Amino acid sequence: MSAPRTTAPGSQLIETPERVALRRAVADLGGRYGSAYYLGKARAGQPADELWAEAGKAGYLGVNLPAEYGGGGGGITDLAIVLEELGTAGCPLLLLIVSPAICGTVIARYGTEEQKRQWLPGLADGSRRMAFGITEPDAGSNSHRISTVARRDGEDWLLTGRKVFVSGIDHCDAVLFVARTEDARTGKLKPALFVVPRDTPGFEYRPIPMELVSPERQFQVFLDDVRLPAEALVGDENAGLLQLFAGLNPERIMTAAFSLGLARQALGKAVEYARTRVVWSTPIGAHQGLAHPLAQCAVEIELARLMTQKAALLYDEGEDAAAGEAANMAKYAAGEAAARTVDQAVQTLGGNGLTQEYGLGALLAATRVGRVAPVSREMVLNYVAQHTLGLPKSY
C-alpha cells in the first residue's frame, strides 16, 4: 500500500515549480520538529523559538516581504504555503498570521522608509516579532466600533483604550495597534495604525486563560495615555479603511492556511490509523462507514485549499476587492473543513483520538479558531449575502 501524501495533492499542477519546491522544503523542516515538539512547547508554556529561528534563517518567515528589506520578494501566496505545510507537519505557528502577514504587509505597503528599514529585515529573518491589536471587548467583529482613541498632543500622539485576544505579546518586540483618530473638523473618528514597542510606558498586558494548546498565548491590553512619537503612525491618518484591510485580507487568507494545515494533519493521522488498525481481520479503513467520511473530508480540504490559493493570488495581483470576497470565502471553507475533519479523525481513532499520543484532542479546540477568528463564520455569511448576492444588509 502507498503511504498518505505528505504534500498538498495537485500542487504540481497549479503552482509554479518554485512554490512546489517551497512546499517540500517547509514540509521537511516541519517534519523534523513535528507535533510532539509543538505540543511539548505549548504544554510547557514555552514559545516554539527553535522552529521559528530555523524557519527565519531559511527565509520562510519573510518569503512575502520585499527583497530589498531582507524578504523573499514573494507574496501572501507563498507565506500561506509556509503556514499550511508547517501546520500539516504538526506545527501551526499562529504568529505567522500576525507578524509577517499582517504587520509586515501593512508596513511594506504603507510604512515610511525608516519604518521599513527598522522593522522589515527583523520580521523577515525572525529576529523581531510584531503582534497585532484590533479586537476590543465591546466591539467584537465590528471594527467600525473601535473605541481606542489616538489624539494629538503637540507633535506626539496619546493612545488610550483596551484590546483583547492579542496573540503572543510576551514574545514580540512591538504591537501594531488599530486606533481611531479624532477629526477636528467633522468630529468623526477614523481608523489609524500605530507601532507601539512593548516596553512603552502606559502599555500594560495580561494573559487570558485559554483552553487552546498553543505556544502563543492570548492577552488583554490596557493603553493609558500611551505617549508615542509622530513616527509611530503607519501610513496616513486620514486613509480610512484602506490601510486596515491591507492587513485584514492577508489575515483571513492566512487563517484559512492555518485551518488547512490542521485539517491535513488530522486527516493524515486518521488515514494512517485506518490503514493499519485491524479489527475482525481487516483494516478499519476498508469499511465504508469510515472510508467515505474520510474521503469526503479530503474533498472538502482540497476545495478549501483551491479557494485559499485563489484569494492569495488575487491579493498578490492587487485585486483588493475580489481578494476580499475570496479571502472571506476561503476562511469560511477552510474553517468548516478543518472542524469536520478533526471531528472525523477523532471518531476514526475512537478512544485513541483523545489521547496525547496522537495529538488530535488538542486540534479540537484549535479548529475552532478558524470558525470564530478573525471574523466569525456568521459574519462571513453576512458579507457574502450582502456583497456577493446583493441581499439587504442585516445589521
Side-chain angles (χ1 to χ4, degrees), residues 76 245 248-257 304 307-308 310-312 314-315 319-334 374-375 380 383-384:
I76 290 299
F245 279 92
L248 296 188
N249 284 334
E251 182 182 35
R252 285 157 171 72
I253 294 167
M254 290 295 289
T255 301
M307 195 70 222
T308 302
K310 176 182 178 179
L314 285 170
Y315 184 84
E319 300 288 343
D320 288 344
E325 178 185 57
N328 275 291
M329 289 183 173
K331 184 265 176 192
Y332 178 93
V375 59
V380 171
Y383 178 95
V384 172

Side-chain angles (χ1 to χ4, degrees), residues 23 75-85 253-254 257 308 312:
R23 278 193 184 276
I76 290 299
T77 303
D78 305 285
L79 191 62
I81 288 172
V82 174
L83 181 54
E84 181 188 341
E85 294 302 327
I253 294 167
M254 290 295 289
T308 302

Side-chain angles (χ1 to χ4, degrees), residues 12-13 75 85 127 131 134 145 167 182 221 253-254 278 336:
Q12 294 89 342
L13 301 177
E85 294 302 327
S127 61
I134 182 172
R145 286 190 57 198
S167 303
E182 190 167 15
V221 173
I253 294 167
M254 290 295 289
V278 176
E336 296 301 297

Side-chain angles (χ1 to χ4, degrees), residues 60-391:
Y60 302 147
L61 301 183
V63 69
N64 64 307
L65 299 177
E68 59 266 39
Y69 300 102
I76 290 299
T77 303
D78 305 285
L79 191 62
I81 288 172
V82 174
L83 181 54
E84 181 188 341
E85 294 302 327
L86 286 178
T88 302
C91 306
L93 296 179
L94 183 62
L95 207 58
L96 265 173
I97 300 174
V98 180
S99 191
I102 302 175
C103 302
T105 297
V106 168
I107 292 174
R109 286 185 66 167
Y110 296 107
T112 63
E113 183 61 31
E114 176 57 32
Q115 288 169 338
K116 293 175 183 178
R117 288 199 305 267
Q118 180 182 3
W119 289 105
L120 293 183
L123 296 182
D125 66 19
S127 61
R128 306 193 81 180
R129 303 178 219 192
M130 189 178 292
F132 180 65
I134 182 172
T135 305
E136 295 185 358
D138 298 324
S141 296
N142 187 357
S143 58
H144 298 274
R145 286 190 57 198
I146 288 173
S147 60
T148 297
V149 175
R151 65 183 188 277
R152 290 279 192 182
D153 186 40
E155 294 297 316
D156 294 344
W157 292 94
L158 291 177
L159 196 62
T160 300
R162 183 181 171 195
K163 301 289 184 181
V164 291
F165 300 120
V166 183
S167 303
I169 288 181
D170 52 338
H171 297 288
C172 288
D173 300 277
V175 182
L176 181 65
F177 281 114
V178 181
R180 296 171 77 94
T181 60
E182 190 167 15
D183 189 313
R185 293 169 299 168
T186 65
K188 293 182 179 179
L189 294 173
K190 299 179 179 180
L193 302 164
F194 296 87
V195 174
V196 183
R198 194 180 67 183
D199 58 359
T200 304
F203 175 9
E204 180 186 355
Y205 57 94
R206 303 173 189 169
I208 302 172
M210 303 288 291
E211 295 292 346
L212 287 173
V213 182
S214 171
E216 299 97 348
R217 295 193 293 169
Q218 300 295 311
F219 292 86
Q220 56 181 326
V221 173
F222 304 88
L223 303 165
D224 185 12
D225 279 347
V226 175
R227 183 171 294 276
L228 301 172
E231 55 268 25
L233 176 70
V234 179
D236 186 348
E237 66 182 275
N238 295 311
L241 294 173
L242 181 65
Q243 295 171 163
L244 178 57
F245 279 92
L248 296 188
N249 284 334
E251 182 182 35
R252 285 157 171 72
I253 294 167
M254 290 295 289
T255 301
F258 178 88
S259 294
L260 287 172
L262 298 182
R264 288 177 55 206
Q265 178 192 161
L267 183 61
K269 291 180 178 181
V271 168
E272 180 62 25
Y273 191 88
R275 287 177 59 251
T276 58
R277 171 69 167 164
V278 176
V279 179
W280 292 300
S281 75
T282 187
I284 61 175
H287 303 300
Q288 292 179 353
L290 288 180
H292 283 187
L294 292 176
Q296 183 179 359
C297 290
V299 171
E300 293 176 355
I301 291 170
E302 180 68 1
L303 292 173
R305 192 175 69 84
L306 289 169
M307 195 70 222
T308 302
Q309 289 176 319
K310 176 182 178 179
L313 289 169
L314 285 170
Y315 184 84
D316 289 339
E317 291 171 1
E319 300 288 343
D320 288 344
E325 178 185 57
N328 275 291
M329 289 183 173
K331 184 265 176 192
Y332 178 93
E336 296 301 297
R340 283 193 287 269
T341 300
V342 171
D343 183 73
Q344 185 57 46
V346 171
Q347 194 69 22
T348 300
L349 271 67
N352 281 330
L354 296 175
T355 64
Q356 289 192 359
E357 176 184 357
Y358 290 93
L360 291 174
L363 297 185
L364 285 171
T367 55
R368 300 302 302 183
V369 172
R371 298 180 92 189
V372 302
V375 59
S376 70
R377 61 193 295 274
E378 289 76 19
M379 287 303 296
V380 171
L381 294 176
N382 281 336
Y383 178 95
V384 172
Q386 180 185 346
H387 296 280
T388 303
L389 303 181
L391 295 174

